[in-house]
C-alpha cells in the first residue's frame, strides 16, 4: 500500500468481480461475454479476464504475484484476485481444471505454472474451449528473486500476454531516470532499482540504446555539460560530445548507429549527429541562434521530432534526419505564450508525446501525427518528460502529483496511472527501455 | 591607529612645555643673543618628533592601504556581481549592460585575469531547454565583453540551467534572482582597480 498509494481502478473491480463471481469486470458497457476472447486479437476497450492458479514450489508465491502484477500493469487484462495477497487464491491449490468455476470467475484465460529445475512450465487454458491452448517451458536461469530472474519472469508475462491478447506486454523493460545527479534504472514493476552512474557531476537525460545494453546521458560539470555513453554490463564510459559547451538530450537512432543531441557553444543550440563508428559530427538543425534540442526519432529513423524556439516560444517541430523539410507540429498562433517541449515519438509512429505549458504548469500531452489531434492526459501537478513504452500505449513521466517529483506510469488508453518511484527527492527525466532480453526462447 | 592616538598628546605636551618655558623669561632681562635651547631641544625630543612623524606616515600609509583594500574589495564585488535577465530571454537589460560596463575596465586593468561566465535559468521552462537558455545568457555576456575589447580567450562560458538556483522558491522574487549570469575567476588575480 505504501509503494502504490493510488490503486489502479482495475484492482478494485477485479476483486469485486472475484467476489460477485459472474459480475462483468470492466463495467456495464463491456460487451464481451465471458470466455470468448482468447486467441482473438486485442481490441481496445475489452479486457479479457485472466486467472493465475496458485503456484507450488520454491518462490511459487513470488512467481504468481509477479505474473499477476505484470498482467494488471499491462492494463490490457482483468486480473482475477489480488497480487498483493498471493496466498488468497479463488481456487484451491492443485485442484483439477474446473472450467465452469473459471467461467463464473469471469476468466477467459487461466495460467497454470509449475516450477521446474531450469525455470517454469506454463500451460494456458482457454476457458471457452475448456482445454489447454498452449504449453511451453521457460528457462529462468538466475537465482529466484534476483533482478535477472525477475526480468526473465517479466518476459514470460509478456509472452503470455501475447498468447491472450495478441500484443506482447511491456513488463520486461526498465525505466532509466535521474535523481540527485545520478542515473538509475528500475524495472517496470518498480523493483530492482539500481544506480548506473557514480555521482560525479549532475547526470541527467538518460536515453537507451536500442539494444538495451547502453545508456547515453548528459553530465553537467563546471566546464560544461557533456554527452557520455555507458555500457551497462561493463560500466565502460565513452564521451561523445566536445569537452566544452552544453551537450544535452541525447537520443540513439533506431538502428543504433548514430547518436543525436543538442549542442551549444556561443550561437544557440542545434541538434548534431555523431556516428558511433567512424565519421565526423554533422549539424542537423539550422536554428540560426535559436535553441533546438530534444531529438526523438520516428520508428523508421527517417525523421526526428524536436524542441525548437525558432518561432519564439519553444514548440515541437519535426525534420528529416538530414535537416530537410522542417515542420511545426504543435499548434502555434501568433502571440501564443504556450510552450511545448520534450517530444517522444511513439514506437508505432502514430503519436508524439510532449509536455505542454497549461496555466503555468507542464502537462503530458499527445498529438496524433497524421491528423494533429491533441490530447492532454494530466492536469494535477507538474507533469514532464513523457517517454513511450515499447507498446506505444503507456508513458513514463515525472510528476509532482504525489507531493515530491517522482516517476509515474500512465496508460494513455484508460487514463490509469501508477507511481513507479518513491522517496529520494526530485526524480525526473524518465526514459523507457526497449524490450529487454529474449522473451524466454525455449 | 592606537599608536597615532597615543603619539599626538605626547607631541602636544612637548610643544606646550616649550612655549611655557619661553613665556616664563622675565621681560626686564635683556634678550640673549643666542637662545638657550639646549635645555628644551634635547635629543629625546628630536627622537620623539621623528618617531611621531614616522608614525604619522605609517598611519597615513595604513589608511591608504585600508582604502586600497576597501576599493579592491569593492572592485571584486563589482566584478562578481551577477547580471540578471528577463524570463526566457538572453537579451542584456540596461542594468546588465551597466554592470558589465563596470567589469570591463577591471578586465582591462588586470590583464592576467581569465574568467568563467555561467548562465542560469529560473525553475520555469523545461530543465533541458533551460540549459540551452543559460548557455545563451552566458554567450550574450561574453559577446558584450568582446565588443568592449576583451579578448575572447579570456572568457569561458558554461550553463547550469536551473540546476543551481541562487534562491529557492516558486515566486517571482526567487525567479528574478535565479535568471542570471555569474562571474568566477579561473586564472590571475584582481589586484589592480584600474582608472
Amino acid at each position: 500500500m505504501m509503494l502504490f498509494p493510488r490503486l489502479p481502478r482495475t484492482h478494485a473491480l477485479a476483486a469485486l468481480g472475484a467476489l460477485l463471481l459472474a459480475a462483468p469486470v470492466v463495467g456495464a458497457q463491456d460487451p464481451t461475454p465471458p470466455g470468448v476472447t482468447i486467441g482473438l486479437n486485442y481490441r481496445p476497450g475489452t479486457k479479457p479476464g485472466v486467472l493465475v492458479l496458485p503456484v507450488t514450489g520454491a518462490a511459487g508465491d513470488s512467481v504468481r504475484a509477479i505474473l499477476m502484477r505484470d498482467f494488471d500493469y499491462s492494463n490490457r487484462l482483468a486480473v482475477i484476485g489480488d497480487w498483493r495477497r498471493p496466498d488468497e487464491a479463488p481456487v484451491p491449490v492443485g485442484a483439477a481444471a474446473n472450467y465452469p468455476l473459471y467461467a463464473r470467475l469471469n476468466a477467459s484465460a487461466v495460467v497454470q505454472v509449475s516450477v521446474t529445475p531450469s525455470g517454469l512450465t506454463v500451460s494456458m487454458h482457454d476457458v471457452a474451449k475448456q482445454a489447454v491452448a498452449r504449453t511451453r517451458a521457460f528457462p529462468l536461469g538466475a537465482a529466484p528473486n534476483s533482478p535477472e530472474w525477475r526480468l526473465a519472469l517479466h518476459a514470460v508475462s509478456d509472452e503470455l500476454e501475447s498468447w491472450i491478447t495478441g500484443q506482447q506486454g511491456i513488463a520486461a523493460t526498465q525505466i532509466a531516470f535521474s535523481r540527485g545527479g545520478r542515473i538509475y534504472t528500475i524495472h517496470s514493476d518498480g523493483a530492482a532499482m539500481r544506480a548506473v552512474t557514480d555521482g560525479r557531476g549532475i547526470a541527467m537525460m538518460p536515453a537507451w540504446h536500442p539494444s538495451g545494453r547502453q545508456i547515453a546521458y548528459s553530465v553537467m560539470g563546471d566546464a560544461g555539460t557533456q554527452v557520455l555513453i555507458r555500457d551497462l554490463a561493463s560500466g565502460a564510459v565513452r564521451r561523445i560530445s566536445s569537452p566544452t559547451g552544453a551537450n544535452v538530450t541525447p537520443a540513439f537512432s533506431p538502428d543504433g548507429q548514430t547518436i543525436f543531441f543538442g549542442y551549444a557553444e556561443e550561437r544557440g543550440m542545434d541538434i548534431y549527429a555523431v556516428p558511433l563508428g567512424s565519421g565526423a559530427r554533422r549539424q542537423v538543425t539550422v536554428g540560426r541562434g535559436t535553441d533546438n534540442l530534444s531529438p526523438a526519432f520516428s520508428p523508421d529513423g527517417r525523421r526526428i521530432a524536436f524542441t525548437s524556439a525558432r518561432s519564439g516560444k519553444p514548440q515541437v517541430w519535426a525534420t528529416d534526419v538530414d535537416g530537410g523539410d522542417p515542420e511545426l507540429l504543435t499548434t502555434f498562433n501568433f502571440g501564443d505564450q504556450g510552450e511545448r517541449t520534450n517530444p517522444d515519438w511513439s514506437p508505432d509512429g502514430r503519436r508524439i508525446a510532449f509536455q505542454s505549458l497549461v496555466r503555468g504548469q507542464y502537462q503530458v500531452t499527445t498529438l496524433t501525427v497524421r491528423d494533429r489531434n491533441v490530447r492532454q492526459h494530466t492536469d494535477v501537478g507538474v507533469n514532464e518528460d513523457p517517454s513511450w513504452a515499447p507498446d506505444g500505449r503507456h508513458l513514463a513521466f515525472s510528476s509532482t502529483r504525489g507531493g515530491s517529483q517522482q516517476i509515474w506510469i500512465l496508460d494513455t488508453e484508460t487514463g490509469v496511472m501508477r507511481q513507479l518511484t518513491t522517496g529520494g527527492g526530485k526524480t525526473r527525466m524518465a526514459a523507457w527501455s526497449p524490450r529487454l532480453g529474449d522473451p524466454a526462447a525455449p | 591607529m592606537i599608536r597615532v592616538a597615543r603619539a599626538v598628546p605626547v607631541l602636544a605636551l612637548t610643544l606646550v612645555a616649550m612655549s611655557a618655558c619661553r613665556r616664563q623669561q622675565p621681560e626686564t632681562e635683556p634678550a640673549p643673543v643666542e637662545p638657550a635651547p639646549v635645555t628644551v631641544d634635547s635629543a629625546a625630543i628630536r627622537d620623539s618628533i621623528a618617531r611621531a612623524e614616522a608614525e604619522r606616515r605609517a598611519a597615513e600609509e595604513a589608511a591608504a592601504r585600508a582604502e586600497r583594500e576597501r576599493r579592491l574589495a569593492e572592485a571584486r564585488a563589482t566584478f562578481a556581481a551577477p547580471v540578471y535577465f528577463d524570463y526566457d530571454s538572453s537579451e542584456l537589460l540596461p542594468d546588465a549592460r551597466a554592470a558589465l560596463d563596470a567589469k570591463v575596465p577591471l578586465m582591462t586593468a588586470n590583464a592576467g585575469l581569465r574568467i568563467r561566465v555561467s548562465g542560469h535559468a529560473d525553475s520555469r521552462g523545461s530543465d533541458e531547454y533551460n540549459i540551452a537558455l543559460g548557455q545563451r545568457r552566458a554567450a550574450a555576456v561574453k559577446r558584450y565583453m568582446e565588443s568592449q575589447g576583451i579578448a575572447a580567450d579570456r572568457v569561458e562560458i558554461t550553463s547550469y540551467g536551473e540546476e543551481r538556483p541562487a534562491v529557492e522558491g516558486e515566486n517571482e522574487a526567487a525567479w528574478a534572482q535565479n535568471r542570471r549570469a555569474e562571474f568566477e575567476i579561473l586564472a590571475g588575480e584582481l589586484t589592480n582597480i584600474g582608472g
Side-chain angles (χ1 to χ4, degrees):
Chain A
M1 291 297 275
M2 288 280 283
L3 269 173
F4 307 97
R6 288 196 161 207
L7 302 185
R9 202 173 298 132
T10 47
H11 287 315
L13 289 170
L16 192 66
L19 281 172
L20 299 179
L21 296 182
V25 170
V26 287
Q29 73 273 41
D30 180 7
T32 316
V36 297
T37 44
I38 196 162
L40 298 181
N41 282 337
Y42 169 75
R43 281 183 290 136
T46 66
K47 286 218 242 176
V50 59
L51 173 67
V52 181
L53 297 177
V55 181
T56 54
D61 279 354
S62 293
V63 170
R64 182 162 181 266
I66 289 170
L67 292 177
M68 286 172 75
R69 185 164 59 185
D70 287 348
F71 293 153
D72 183 28
Y73 285 172
S74 79
N75 300 111
R76 288 190 169 91
L77 297 167
V79 179
I80 295 160
D82 186 347
W83 50 259
R84 289 174 202 80
R85 299 187 191 88
D87 49 325
E88 289 178 17
V91 293
V93 176
N98 183 343
Y99 293 107
L101 173 63
Y102 301 157
R104 279 205 304 282
L105 288 169
N106 210 28
S108 302
V110 173
V111 176
Q112 185 180 2
V113 181
S114 349
V115 177
T116 65
S118 63
L120 304 175
T121 298
V122 181
S123 293
M124 176 80 76
H125 295 262
D126 182 334
V127 177
K129 291 182 181 157
Q130 305 209 345
V132 170
R134 228 166 148 175
T135 297
R136 182 169 150 187
F138 294 93
L140 291 182
N145 288 312
S146 66
E148 296 74 21
W149 180 88
R150 295 181 69 101
L151 209 52
L153 185 55
H154 291 316
V156 175
S157 302
D158 291 345
E159 179 67 10
L160 297 179
E161 205 182 312
S162 79
W163 291 4
I164 303 170
T165 67
Q167 305 272 316
Q168 198 185 346
I170 50 161
T173 56
Q174 300 197 64
I175 287 99
F177 58 86
S178 173
R179 171 187 279 179
R182 298 175 80 166
I183 305 292
Y184 292 81
T185 55
I186 194 168
H187 287 186
S188 69
D189 64 351
M193 185 171 130
R194 176 170 92 89
V196 170
T197 60
D198 55 18
R200 264 174 295 181
I202 302 173
M204 45 191 168
M205 306 170 209
W208 291 87
H209 188 271
S211 68
R213 289 198 285 266
Q214 297 176 334
I215 287 180
Y217 54 97
S218 287
V219 177
M220 179 183 281
D222 285 336
T225 300
Q226 277 90 54
V227 170
L228 307 179
I229 296 177
R230 177 178 287 256
D231 185 89
L232 291 175
S234 70
V237 175
R238 172 182 170 196
R239 180 166 54 78
I240 292 299
S241 62
S242 63
T244 60
N247 298 277
V248 299
T249 61
F252 289 100
S253 60
D255 65 7
Q257 300 293 306
T258 312
I259 187 165
F260 280 40
F261 56 88
Y263 163 61
E265 202 76 57
E266 295 182 16
R267 298 278 162 191
M269 182 172 282
D270 270 301
I271 293 169
Y272 286 75
V274 173
L276 293 176
S278 58
R281 186 175 75 186
R282 166 174 75 79
Q283 185 172 345
V284 176
T285 60
V286 185
R288 297 190 174 85
T290 63
D291 291 329
N292 300 268
L293 63 155
S294 299
F297 281 88
S298 64
D300 63 10
R302 286 200 282 213
R303 277 173 85 71
I304 52 165
F306 63 103
T307 303
S308 177
R310 62 184 66 183
S311 57
K313 293 288 175 188
Q315 296 290 338
V316 176
W317 287 65
T319 183
D320 289 345
V321 289
D322 64 4
D325 195 17
E327 167 192 26
L328 176 62
L329 286 182
T330 45
T331 48
F332 176 76
N333 302 311
F334 287 105
D336 185 356
Q337 291 301 297
E339 293 179 15
R340 297 163 188 97
T341 65
N342 299 45
D344 193 33
W345 209 311
S346 69
D348 61 12
R350 290 188 199 147
R351 288 190 284 177
I352 291 169
F354 52 95
Q355 61 190 62
S356 183
L357 197 61
V358 181
R359 289 184 293 280
Q361 295 194 315
Y362 282 115
Q363 301 299 345
V364 170
T365 306
T366 57
L367 167 94
T368 55
V369 174
R370 189 180 293 171
D371 48 16
R372 307 285 160 87
N373 271 338
V374 174
R375 192 170 145 208
Q376 185 182 325
H377 293 271
T378 58
D379 57 6
V380 177
V382 177
N383 301 278
E384 297 176 279
D385 279 315
S387 172
W388 287 105
D391 64 358
R393 168 171 167 160
H394 291 84
L395 286 169
F397 62 103
S398 70
S399 179
T400 60
R401 63 188 50 234
S404 68
Q405 192 176 26
Q406 295 292 342
I407 308 300
W408 287 67
I409 306 289
L410 162 73
D411 174 23
T412 57
E413 202 153 289
T414 61
V416 168
M417 289 186 205
R418 65 182 168 96
Q419 187 173 344
L420 181 71
T421 62
T422 53
K426 200 166 144 178
T427 306
R428 55 184 175 152
M429 299 172 177
W432 208 312
S433 78
R435 287 192 175 88
L436 298 172
D438 191 54
Chain B
M1 287 309 281
I2 293 166
R3 297 184 100 198
V4 174
R6 210 178 285 139
V8 170
V10 168
L11 187 64
L13 275 175
T14 312
L15 291 173
V16 166
M18 285 166 73
S19 62
C21 284
R22 237 178 255 129
R23 235 180 271 128
Q24 276 168 3
Q25 308 244 331
E27 279 178 27
T28 50
E29 295 264 320
V33 179
E34 291 287 316
V38 278
T39 53
V40 288
D41 193 10
S42 66
I45 288 170
R46 271 204 310 276
D47 285 354
S48 162
I49 290 170
R51 199 161 55 240
E53 179 63 17
E55 282 171 358
R56 186 188 58 77
R57 229 180 283 125
E60 272 175 17
E61 278 166 18
R65 208 163 40 241
E67 174 63 9
R68 259 202 320 277
E69 285 298 330
R70 193 189 61 74
R71 289 179 60 192
L72 202 54
E74 207 173 80
R76 284 177 178 144
T78 298
F79 191 77
V83 300
Y84 298 97
F85 295 85
D86 275 344
Y87 175 64
D88 192 20
S89 169
S90 57
E91 192 188 319
L92 295 175
L93 299 167
D95 280 359
R97 282 172 194 271
L100 294 176
D101 287 341
K103 296 178 202 292
V104 165
L106 297 171
M107 285 291 282
T108 311
N110 296 271
L113 277 189
R114 269 191 64 244
I115 65 164
R116 178 186 290 145
V117 180
S118 58
H120 299 255
D122 71 26
S123 58
R124 296 171 299 168
S126 80
D127 300 1
E128 297 86 347
Y129 177 78
N130 279 338
I131 296 175
L133 176 59
Q135 188 79 14
R136 208 149 27 87
R137 285 175 174 160
V141 167
K142 178 176 182 175
R143 262 200 305 282
Y144 186 79
M145 288 184 136
E146 278 182 63
S147 77
Q148 302 301 303
I150 306 302
D153 61 6
R154 296 179 61 198
V155 183
E156 190 177 289
I157 62 170
T158 195
S159 170
Y160 291 116
E162 61 175 89
E163 305 298 323
R164 293 189 181 182
V167 179
E168 296 285 349
E170 294 299 320
N171 53 69
E172 183 47 47
W175 294 329
Q177 291 289 301
N178 290 334
R179 296 189 298 263
R180 69 201 193 277
E182 290 190 348
F183 300 81
E184 182 193 345
I185 293 172
L186 292 180
E189 217 183 324
L190 202 166
T191 49
N192 191 343
I193 55 173

